[in-house]
Amino acid sequence: MGDYSKALEFYEKSHQIYQIALPPNHPNWATSHLNFAACYERMGDYTAALKALQSAFKIQQKTFEEGNPAFAFTYSWFARVYRSMKDYSKALENFEKALMIREKALSETHPNLAITYSDTGDVHRLMSDYEKALSFHRKALNIQENVQCNPLECATTYVNLGETYRQMKDYSTALTYFEKGLKIREKKLPKNHPDLAVVYHNLAKLYLSTRQYNMGMKNVQQAVEIAQEKLPSTHPHQFGF
């Protein structure tokens, strides 16, 4: 897990099979493009990710009626790419489109709704609207802590909450949520997974802010080692960590 270049190779092989076996507007084509987009986003190649998403969206427009739940996945990935590009207004716009579809199509406790709440909250954090961020994260946790969900999605909400509280300078609450998220990720992911590097990086910022420099540098080192091993040399996290 976390080996995105290898995942890309497998997606390319399946894409070649689709070229032989499927008509050009088959829904599986859109799924294939979404898989590419997800890989490119995690690898930091946002131009390629947007191109793949646009291909997926064009197929979905020809295949599905407006408001089909399939569009929510595409809008969510558009939003994640724009968030990574720091275009937060476009990110929020696309998460809101995804949320509108999912709130109509899914039950109030559906795990995918929780994911969108958490993602939307994270964009509000990045836009410094911390109260709105907390509100969305609490909606997400209300589902994730009470319904059978993927633990890693719950971990993401914990980490998002931790980063929100860190930016609000509530360091003790931030640490509590970071530790909850880290505990799940360390249990569920390989020790060199990039998602662990994100938590180590966030913890480093917290410890440095509270003048716990030894702990801060320890977490910086852990984040950098994972990034150097698992991410392309041009990935923005290589410079951020």
Side-chain angles (χ1 to χ4, degrees):
M1 295 177 71
D3 193 338
Y4 304 120
S5 58
K6 186 166 287 187
L8 200 57
E9 289 179 20
F10 284 111
Y11 289 143
E12 286 169 349
K13 288 178 181 178
S14 67
H15 202 72
Q16 289 169 3
I17 294 170
Y18 288 160
Q19 286 179 320
I20 299 170
L22 298 177
N25 289 331
H26 193 282
N28 283 2
W29 274 109
T31 302
S32 182
H33 287 300
L34 286 172
N35 288 336
F36 279 124
C39 259
Y40 285 129
E41 192 276 334
R42 299 307 298 269
M43 294 171 72
D45 189 344
Y46 305 131
T47 301
L50 286 176
K51 184 178 178 181
L53 285 168
Q54 287 158 359
S55 297
F57 189 66
K58 286 178 182 177
I59 294 169
Q60 289 174 333
Q61 284 180 311
K62 294 176 182 177
T63 307
F64 301 121
E65 293 184 4
E66 186 177 348
N68 187 290
F71 284 107
F73 286 99
T74 309
Y75 286 134
S76 291
W77 274 110
F78 268 119
R80 288 174 185 139
V81 174
Y82 284 125
R83 178 178 60 188
S84 296
M85 296 172 69
K86 304 186 189 304
D87 190 340
Y88 302 133
S89 60
K90 282 188 179 179
L92 187 59
E93 177 186 342
N94 280 276
F95 278 136
E96 287 175 344
K97 287 180 180 179
L99 188 58
M100 188 178 299
I101 293 171
R102 285 180 168 166
E103 285 182 331
K104 289 181 180 178
L106 304 176
S107 70
E108 293 181 354
T109 58
H110 196 285
N112 284 348
L113 197 55
I115 293 169
T116 311
Y117 285 143
S118 186
D119 280 333
T120 304
D122 193 47
V123 176
H124 283 298
R125 170 189 68 82
L126 290 163
M127 298 174 78
S128 301
D129 191 342
Y130 302 126
E131 290 305 320
K132 197 167 280 188
L134 291 176
S135 174
F136 276 101
H137 291 322
R138 287 172 186 140
K139 284 183 178 182
L141 276 189
N142 189 47
I143 297 171
Q144 291 168 333
E145 291 184 335
N146 294 291
V147 177
Q148 188 71 29
C149 290
N150 181 344
L152 289 170
E153 299 296 351
C154 192
T156 296
T157 304
Y158 287 142
V159 173
N160 287 345
L161 270 166
E163 189 64 357
T164 303
Y165 280 113
R166 185 193 68 80
Q167 291 186 329
M168 295 172 71
K169 302 188 188 307
D170 184 345
Y171 298 124
S172 61
T173 305
L175 183 59
T176 297
Y177 281 112
F178 283 146
E179 288 176 340
K180 284 184 175 183
L182 182 61
K183 183 177 180 180
I184 295 171
R185 287 184 177 177
E186 285 184 331
K187 182 178 180 181
K188 297 290 184 180
L189 298 174
K191 63 181 181 179
N192 59 353
H193 194 285
D195 285 352
L196 282 171
V198 172
V199 190
Y200 294 140
H201 177 62
N202 291 345
L203 281 167
K205 290 186 289 185
L206 184 151
Y207 285 126
L208 292 173
S209 295
T210 55
R211 300 184 180 183
Q212 298 178 69
Y213 299 118
N214 288 339
M215 288 295 291
M217 293 311 298
K218 176 185 175 183
N219 280 274
V220 167
Q221 185 176 356
Q222 287 175 296
V224 168
E225 286 175 357
I226 293 172
Q228 289 178 341
E229 179 182 351
K230 302 298 288 187
L231 298 177
S233 60
T234 55
H235 196 289
H237 285 178
Q238 295 281 14
F239 307 102
F241 292 166

